[in-house]
Amino acid sequence: MTAASPTGSCIAASRGTSLDRARRDRFSSHTVDEWLSLMPNELAIDAVGLWQIIPYGRHDFGFNGQDLEAFTAEALSNLLARGAVPITGQDGKWVIEHRYGTANQEIITNVIDKWLAPGAPDPDVESVWFGLPSVVLD
């Protein structure tokens, strides 16, 4: 079990924010709810990176602050509910990142805390991804 983080309570509070769920993204015109429900379908094809989720929420839906945290937490929750695990690319293969924890809420909290620590920038492609265990090569 990880120690409580300074932003953990902020994350819990942000999940209670009222996202404008009918807001449409700038390009596909999907609503927030549509995007959050469709995005995990990508897992059948490829892993989904944090570097994709956060900029999508920030730039395509226009979320900031607690709304962006809530959007990100819900996206991660949907990926984890589909069986995804945190992974990173190392030496040309995917490796499960156990440092984020094992329980879904623990993983979400730790991933968001790590993203928020340097000031909530748009993550780069080297940040954590989420993929099905079947993509991990042993």
Side-chain angles (χ1 to χ4, degrees):
M1 181 168 207
T2 60
S5 68
T7 58
S9 59
C10 183
I11 292 168
S14 73
R15 291 197 39 103
T17 63
S18 181
L19 285 177
D20 178 1
R21 303 186 87 68
R23 186 180 291 193
R24 295 190 177 274
D25 79 53
R26 299 181 312 146
F27 300 106
S28 73
S29 294
H30 286 122
T31 65
V32 170
D33 278 341
E34 289 168 340
W35 190 86
L36 287 169
S37 68
L38 291 170
M39 177 268 308
N41 294 338
E42 179 71 14
L43 291 170
I45 302 165
D46 197 5
V48 177
L50 192 63
W51 69 274
Q52 297 166 302
I53 296 167
I54 291 170
Y56 208 92
R58 177 178 282 144
H59 304 295
D60 294 28
F61 284 113
F63 291 130
N64 289 298
Q66 288 188 346
D67 285 341
L68 184 57
E69 286 181 49
F71 174 84
T72 302
E74 191 165 339
L76 297 179
S77 179
N78 289 353
L79 290 168
L80 294 167
R82 291 275 190 97
V85 294
I87 59 177
T88 55
Q90 297 177 21
D91 298 322
K93 64 180 182 175
W94 292 117
V95 176
I96 295 175
E97 287 291 342
H98 299 285
R99 66 183 163 166
Y100 293 106
T102 55
N104 288 0
Q105 190 56 51
E106 178 185 24
I107 293 168
I108 293 166
T109 298
N110 289 332
V111 167
I112 290 178
D113 282 353
K114 185 170 183 189
W115 161 58
L116 292 175
D122 283 352
D124 63 29
V125 72
E126 300 297 319
S127 66
V128 66
W129 292 62
F130 290 83
L132 297 175
S134 59
V135 304
V136 177
L137 303 174
D138 292 324

